[in-house]
Each structure stands twice: as structure tokens, then as C-alpha cells.
Amino acid sequence: MPLICLVRHGQASFGADDYDVLSDLGREQAGCVGEELRRRELRDPLVVSGTLRRQRDTAALLAEAAGFGAPAAPDARLDEYDHVDLLERYPGEAEAGGSGSRQVQQLLDGALRSWIAAGDADGWPAFSTGAVAAVRDLAAGLEKGRDAVVVSSGGVIAAVVASLLRAPADAVVALNRSAVNVGVTSLIAGSTGLTLLAFNDHAHVTGPRRALLTYR
């Protein structure tokens, strides 16, 4: 059965003019997860990503480090939601005294929860349905005995995992919050559909490589 590894992109440029650019650390993380996937000896893996720059660059660096073929054409259904737009549409209040990144995460959690609860047809339902469909379509097109690596973002991965577990909105928010940069979520594509094997595996950025562990 094909194995599909969902990989969150490397660290982007939080606080910079253009968030959608890998930081130097993010580029190092991408190479690190590529080495880890090479160690796992995936079978002729197809590498695909969303269209966002941080996703495409992670996929390219990962593939190079792993010795995989060049990534296939990107799939826009694997793009992350616009977190800046969500924060503007669903403003909230963060706890006083927290760090900047912590406060932003609290605000984003609340905005994401509100977006899901709103249920607008062109909002969370469309986003999550598209993410799940992208992974299912990829699985359906894989040749027997061939694996895949999908480079995307925390929201997309949370949507896929929550769908497979039939989890509620609060679980989506928790999954999204805990996603580690270049964490690996593994799925098996069998005759009955997709099955979750592991979520957010990040052993490759622990121990001597703990300096590579980031969440944002």
C-alpha cells in the first residue's frame, strides 16, 4: 500500500515584510527532513506541494537532500488559509503579558475557531474539503508500490487529520497549533481509503538537532 507523508513546510519569515519566504533556519529544516525521508527508504516517492513559496521551496530542498526526483506541479488545494485575513475578519483579545508570538497564536486560535464555526460555504468547508480531496486524488493516482511526499502547511494537515478522525473544530485548532515545522504526518492509502499512521512526527529535529525545532 502506498505511504503518503504530509510534511509541514520549514520555518517561514514571521514578522518580515514577506512571510512566505523560508528563513535560513527553515531552509536547514527542509534539508534535515529530506535526510530523514531518505533514511526511511520511501519507494520512488512522488513529491508535490501547494503553490505557496514556502511550500514549494521546502519541497525542492527536501527532494534535493533526499535524492528524490524534482517535485511535480503544485496543487493549489494544498495552500494554507490566509492567516492575516482571518485575524482581520475575526479579531479577538490575547492574554496580557505574553510574548508576541504567543499572543499571535492565541488570536489565530480564536480566529480559526470562529471561521470554522461560521460554516460559510466558501470558507472552512471549501478549504477543508479541497485539502482532503487533494490528498485523496493523489493517493488514487499513485502506482502500486509507489509512495508520496506532500509538502503543505499546518492548517491543511490539521484539516486532513481531523477529517480522517471525524474530529470537531476544537481538535482542528489543537492540531494546527501543535504542528511542528517539517513535522511528518504519515498516511496509508489502502483499498478502504486513507488511514492515519502518525501525526506530527518530529524526532529528526530533537536530540542533537533540537535547535531546529520550531512551531512558527
Side-chain angles (χ1 to χ4, degrees):
M1 293 183 290
L3 174 70
I4 300 176
C5 295
L6 308 180
V7 178
R8 188 183 177 212
H9 62 77
Q11 184 188 63
S13 299
F14 179 77
D17 291 338
D18 186 358
Y19 173 76
D20 195 24
V21 176
L22 291 181
S23 67
D24 290 341
L25 181 60
R27 298 180 68 83
E28 187 175 355
Q29 290 169 333
C32 177
V33 72
E35 293 171 5
E36 169 62 17
L37 293 175
R38 178 177 59 192
R39 184 192 67 79
R40 297 187 186 190
E41 298 184 351
L42 302 183
R43 300 165 298 178
D44 186 26
L46 173 66
V47 181
V48 66
S49 73
T51 69
L52 300 179
R53 181 176 176 183
R54 60 188 182 273
Q55 298 171 340
R56 291 185 287 108
D57 287 353
T58 298
L61 291 166
L62 174 161
E64 181 179 5
F68 299 157
D75 186 338
R77 295 176 295 177
L78 298 170
D79 289 356
E80 182 65 297
Y81 56 79
D82 186 339
H83 70 281
V84 175
D85 177 65
L86 283 192
L87 290 171
E88 291 177 348
R89 289 166 57 190
Y90 302 102
E93 294 185 5
E95 295 178 6
S99 65
S101 61
R102 179 179 176 81
Q103 289 179 330
V104 169
Q105 186 59 56
Q106 290 174 346
L107 293 172
L108 183 57
D109 286 352
L112 181 57
R113 190 175 289 109
S114 296
W115 186 44
I116 295 171
D120 298 330
D122 61 348
W124 174 258
F127 173 83
S128 58
T129 298
V132 173
V135 178
R136 292 192 189 280
D137 289 349
L138 173 67
L142 286 175
E143 303 164 6
K144 184 177 180 180
R146 189 179 193 191
D147 299 323
V149 176
V150 176
V151 180
S152 188
S153 299
V156 169
I157 295 170
V160 173
V161 171
S163 175
L164 294 178
L165 298 179
R166 299 182 182 179
D170 279 348
V172 174
V173 175
L175 291 166
N176 184 61
R177 184 194 311 120
S178 63
V180 169
N181 289 117
V182 298
V184 180
T185 293
S186 301
L187 313 176
I188 281 288
S191 59
T192 59
L194 298 173
T195 300
L196 177 67
L197 287 183
F199 169 68
N200 205 31
D201 177 6
H202 58 283
H204 46 288
V205 290
T206 61
R209 286 187 161 180
R210 185 172 180 79
L212 297 180
L213 177 61
T214 60
Y215 293 84
R216 295 290 171 265

